Amino acid sequence: ALKARPANPLEFIGKYLLPKVSMEVTTVVTKPIAGQKPGTSGLRQKTRTFMGESYLQNFVQSVFDALVSEGVAVKGGTLCVSGDGRYFNSTAIQIIIKMAAAAGVTRVWCGTGGLLSTPAMSAVIRTRDPAGGAAPIGGFILSASHNPGGIDEDFGIKYNGENGGPAPEKLTDKIYKNTTTIAEYKICSGLPDVALDAPAKHKLADGFEVVVFPCVEDHVALLKKVFDFGAIKKLFERKDFSMIYDSMNGVQGPYAKAIFYGEFGAAPGSCINAEPKEDFGGHDSPSHGHADPNLTHAVELVAAMGLNKMGLPIETPKPPPSFGAAADGDADRNMIMGSKFFCSPSDSLAVIVANAQCIPWYKGGLKACARSMPTSMATDLVAKKLGIPFFEVPTGWKFFGNLMDSGSAAFPNSPSYIPFICGEESFGTGGDHVREKDGMWAVLAWLQILAAKNTDPSKPLVGVADVVMAHWAEYGRNYYARYDYDGVDKAAAEKMMAAMVAEQPKLIGTTINGMTISSADMFEYNDSVDGSISKNQGIRFMFSDGSRFVFRLSGTGVVGATIRLYLEKYTPPTGDLSLHAFDVIKPLGEIALQVSKLVEFTGRTEPSVIT
Ligand code: G6P
Ligand code: ZN
C-alpha cells in the first residue's frame, strides 16, 4: 500500500526537506584550559587559540555558570551578542547563540552584520526597548579593542552586565575560577546559523528567537539625547569648517557615516576607512592593521591633519581640515586633532570637563569628574575651580562605572542620575550616558563645544588649538607623554617593578639631575562605593615642582609584558606653554630610566611607541 502523504504540502516540506531545527541540548565533555583569566578588559588571546577546541565554549559556559550562581535570570532572559567585526566575529556569534539557547536564554539580540561598537553595546543593554520581552541581562562583546585582528592576530571576549558596564572583578574572578574547574559545556548544536546581514526576527524554535536590529539605532538615538545635533549641524554649515574622521576599518564606520553624513551633512570624503574589515586593513594598510587612534598608528589622519608621528607640523598640499578625529577597533577610544594640532587625551578630558555646560546632558551642572591615576592632573585643576567632586581611579573603565552607579553612596546630595564625565590617558573619554568609554561621544562633545564657540558666522573659526590654548592660558599646561615598551620579557618586567618598589622609600628626598623626589608610592585604590581595595595599580614618583612619572604593566597585552612609563610636567599659565610635549618631558624620562634601570632589566634602549 502507498504511504499516506501529508495533505498539506508545507507540512511535507517542513518534515522532510528543511534542515532539522532542534532545541535539543548537547552536553560536551571538556577540560580546563589554562590562562583564561580576564585582563583589564576581558579575555584576549591569539585568534587561533580562540578557534581551538572548546576555548571559546569553555569561557562562555564559565560566564553562564557564574551568572547563574550570582542569581542572574539567565533562563528566560534576553542576551545581547555582537562584536567589532574582526576575524572570527561571526563564527563566535553563532557558537554563542547556540550556547545561549542551551543555557535557557529565550532571546538573543544582535547588531546587523554581528556588529556593535563597545559603547553601542552598552547603550543597547541600557536603553533598547525590550518590546514586551525581558530586559537584557547583559551582553558579550567580541573584541580585542585596538589589538590587530586576523587569523594570526588577536581576538577577545568580554561580558558586560545589566548596567551596560564591564563585569565587576567579583564576577570576573568567579568566571576565571569556573574556567579552572569546567568539565562540560552545553550547546544546542541542532540550531541553524542565523543570517545577521539584515534586520529580522528569527524565531528558531518555540521559546527561542534571535533579533537582528540596525547596529547604529540605539547608540545614535541615545547620543541625540546627550547632544544638540541641530547646533552641531550649524557648525558643519560654516564654509570655514571641515572635518575628517578615521574609523580605521574598525566597527565605527557605520556609526560615523550615519552621524557625519546622515545627521550633519558632512562633505563627501569626510569619513575615511569607514568599512569594517576583519583585519582592520591588515599589514599593508597605513596603520599596519593597528586600529588604534594615536600619533603612531592613525597614520592617514595624522598626515591629513598636517603632523608627523612626533606631533610636529609638516607641509601639506592644501590646508588641513579644521577638525580631525579617529576611533579604535571597537570604537570606545578617540583621538582629537585640530589643523596641525594634536590634543592629548588628558587635555581633551580637562577641556571637555571645563566646557561641560555647552553639552545639553550636563546643562543642569556636572556633578563629578574622574580620571585614571596615570592620566595627567589637568582635570584636577578644573574640578577644583568648578568645586565639584573629583576621583582618581586605577586604569580600567569599570572603576568609573562603579562611581556612576553609586547614586547616593558617593554623592549624598545627588539623585541616582549622576551627570559625570571621566577619561583616561589611553585615548578614552566618556560620560554617564553609558558605562563604557565612548569614542563617538568624545568627538561629539568637542563638536558641541566648537559649535558653542562659533555661533557668529562673520567671525573667524575658533578651532581645537584655540580652545586648548585658551584652556592652558587659564589653568596652565600639564606637558605629558607616554613611553611604551612592548613585548618585553614578563619576568624581567616584573623584576624591574619589584626592584623599584623596594627602592622607593630610599629615594624620597633625593635629588636626581636637579629634580627632587618629594614622594613615591605604589598606587592603591579604595573604592568609596563598594569598599573594595585594588592594590599594585602603578608605581608613582612625584617631584617637588609638581612633575611626576609613573610605571605600570599593561593589563591588555597578549604577548609578554608591556611596560608603560607616563611622564608629566606642569607649567603654570605664566610659563612657556607653547613647547613640544615630547621635548619638555624628555629630561624627566631620563630620570625615570635611571631610577627604574629599565635598560639593564629589559635590554630595551628605545620605547616601541611614544604617545
Ligand atoms: C582598555 C581599557 C581602558 C584602559 C586601557 C589600557 O582600553 O578599557 O580602561 O585604560 O585598556 O590598559 P593597559 O592595561 O593596556 O594600560
Ligand atoms: Zn577599544
Side-chain angles (χ1 to χ4, degrees):
L2 282 173
K3 270 206 184 136
R5 275 180 52 184
N8 179 350
L10 282 179
E11 198 183 315
F12 176 79
I13 292 170
K15 214 161 176 182
Y16 300 102
L17 298 179
L18 286 180
K20 214 173 133 242
V21 173
S22 158
M23 283 292 283
E24 204 178 303
V25 176
T26 312
T27 302
V28 182
V29 174
T30 185
K31 48 181 193 302
I33 300 169
Q36 293 203 319
K37 191 176 172 60
T40 313
S41 200
L43 176 64
R44 291 188 193 164
Q45 257 308 337
K46 286 287 155 204
T47 308
R48 284 189 196 272
T49 305
F50 263 102
M51 294 165 73
E53 203 191 335
S54 305
Y55 192 90
L56 175 69
Q57 291 85 339
N58 275 15
F59 187 79
V60 171
Q61 187 66 54
S62 298
V63 173
F64 284 135
D65 293 346
L67 291 173
V68 170
S69 74
E70 290 268 291
V72 176
V74 175
K75 276 208 169 63
T78 296
L79 178 78
C80 194
V81 184
S82 283
D84 64 11
R86 69 181 57 227
Y87 188 86
F88 195 53
N89 188 53
S90 1
T91 313
I93 290 174
Q94 302 293 351
I95 294 171
I96 297 171
I97 289 175
K98 291 171 190 156
M99 290 186 69
V105 166
T106 52
R107 184 168 60 167
V108 175
W109 281 350
C110 255
T112 37
L115 301 178
L116 276 181
S117 74
T118 290
M121 170 66 87
S122 193
V124 165
I125 295 173
R126 294 175 69 80
T127 65
R128 187 168 180 80
D129 181 2
I137 55 168
F140 283 102
I141 303 177
L142 306 171
S143 171
S145 188
H146 51 283
N147 293 15
I151 191 164
D152 289 314
E153 302 293 351
D154 296 347
F155 190 79
I157 181 167
K158 175 167 106 159
Y159 186 77
N160 281 27
E162 63 174 348
N163 71 340
E169 218 147 270
K170 195 171 141 242
L171 183 60
T172 52
D173 285 349
K174 226 173 216 180
I175 295 168
Y176 174 57
K177 218 165 147 231
N178 288 346
T179 68
T180 64
T181 55
I182 189 164
E184 57 183 44
Y185 69 83
K186 294 188 159 45
I187 186 163
C188 288
S189 36
L191 289 178
D193 282 357
V194 180
L196 302 174
D197 47 342
K201 191 185 236 184
H202 301 273
K203 199 158 171 41
L204 297 187
D206 264 346
F208 186 67
E209 65 182 22
V210 177
V211 180
V212 182
F213 57 87
C215 65
V216 300
E217 195 171 72
D218 302 283
H219 193 216
V220 174
L222 179 59
L223 291 169
K224 279 185 163 174
K225 289 189 185 147
V226 177
F227 299 102
D228 177 353
F229 273 39
I232 299 176
K233 193 164 193 287
K234 290 214 178 78
L235 175 70
F236 277 76
E237 282 160 8
R238 283 184 68 119
K239 296 250 165 341
D240 53 0
F241 179 83
S242 56
M243 72 158 262
I244 179 165
Y245 188 84
D246 191 346
S247 298
M248 302 198 79
N249 292 126
V251 74
Q252 190 78 309
Y255 300 83
K257 286 192 260 184
I259 291 179
F260 299 122
Y261 293 146
E263 300 287 340
F264 303 143
S270 302
C271 295
I272 62 168
N273 299 315
E275 303 305 325
K277 290 187 181 165
E278 290 194 330
D279 61 354
F280 304 142
H283 286 287
D284 299 331
S285 69
S287 70
H288 300 292
H290 286 267
D292 200 2
N294 56 41
L295 288 173
T296 303
H297 294 123
V299 177
E300 265 181 276
L301 174 75
V302 172
M305 296 308 293
L307 294 181
N308 67 14
K309 70 173 187 177
M310 297 302 283
L312 294 167
I314 52 168
E315 285 294 320
T316 48
K318 54 179 181 84
S322 26
F323 184 79
D328 71 332
D330 63 332
D332 55 355
R333 294 188 174 193
N334 75 89
M335 173 164 66
I336 303 295
M337 301 185 77
S339 183
K340 301 204 177 194
F341 185 83
F342 165 68
C343 177
S344 82
S346 294
D347 280 337
S348 171
L349 173 65
V351 169
I352 295 173
V353 170
N355 292 281
Q357 79 288 347
C358 301
I359 303 169
W361 189 266
Y362 301 103
K363 271 258 147 60
L366 185 61
K367 288 284 189 308
C369 60
R371 62 164 171 84
S372 67
M373 183 275 282
T375 303
S376 99
M377 301 183 283
T379 299
D380 314 23
L381 303 171
V382 180
K384 205 167 158 203
K385 193 158 198 176
L386 295 179
I388 56 171
F390 156 82
F391 297 86
E392 182 180 36
V393 306
T395 295
W397 205 260
K398 57 185 173 226
F399 297 98
F400 296 131
N402 226 5
L403 290 170
M404 292 179 201
D405 281 335
S406 65
S408 52
F411 310 95
N413 303 319
S414 294
S416 56
Y417 166 68
I418 296 167
F420 201 102
I421 291 178
C422 42
E424 298 184 275
E425 49 67 37
S426 53
F427 295 81
T429 332
D432 58 292
H433 63 300
V434 289
R435 292 295 177 273
E436 289 279 4
K437 53 187 184 278
D438 188 338
M440 187 58 84
W441 179 96
V443 171
L444 293 174
W446 265 97
L447 291 172
Q448 193 86 78
I449 291 166
L450 292 177
K453 299 198 186 284
N454 286 290
T455 45
D456 185 347
S458 68
K459 294 223 174 92
L461 186 86
V462 175
V464 174
D466 303 307
V467 174
V468 175
M469 287 193 287
H471 185 92
W472 292 337
E474 185 174 352
Y475 293 94
R477 178 171 178 190
N478 296 69
Y479 282 104
Y480 190 85
R482 185 178 100 182
Y483 292 1
D484 290 341
Y485 299 84
D486 291 334
V488 172
D489 179 67
K490 208 169 172 191
E494 280 164 1
K495 262 193 205 150
M496 181 195 86
M497 296 293 278
M500 225 183 322
V501 170
E503 284 293 306
Q504 274 189 321
K506 283 176 251 169
L507 289 168
I508 299 170
T510 61
T511 300
I512 309 173
N513 297 355
M515 290 183 68
T516 305
I517 298 173
S518 54
S519 70
D521 64 3
M522 171 63 98
F523 180 60
E524 188 176 295
Y525 179 63
N526 301 321
D527 194 312
S528 56
V529 180
D530 63 13
S532 63
I533 298 176
S534 307
K535 294 176 186 286
N536 299 323
Q537 297 298 321
I539 299 174
R540 301 192 285 191
F541 285 87
M542 324 284 266
F543 293 83
S544 52
D545 71 344
S547 302
R548 65 170 190 167
F549 67 80
V550 174
F551 275 98
R552 245 190 94 244
L553 297 185
S554 156
T556 57
V558 167
V559 188
T562 293
I563 298 170
R564 303 207 195 285
L565 166 56
Y566 311 84
L567 301 152
E568 175 174 1
K569 187 172 173 18
Y570 178 69
T571 300
T574 47
D576 195 343
L577 302 170
S578 60
L579 301 170
H580 190 261
F582 294 177
D583 296 335
V584 174
I585 53 76
K586 210 163 179 219
L588 197 58
E590 276 152 22
I591 297 174
L593 292 181
Q594 206 174 315
V595 167
S596 62
K597 306 196 177 67
L598 184 138
V599 182
E600 290 93 310
F601 276 106
T602 68
R604 294 298 177 83
T605 50
E606 294 292 334
S608 332
V609 178
I610 301 181
T611 49

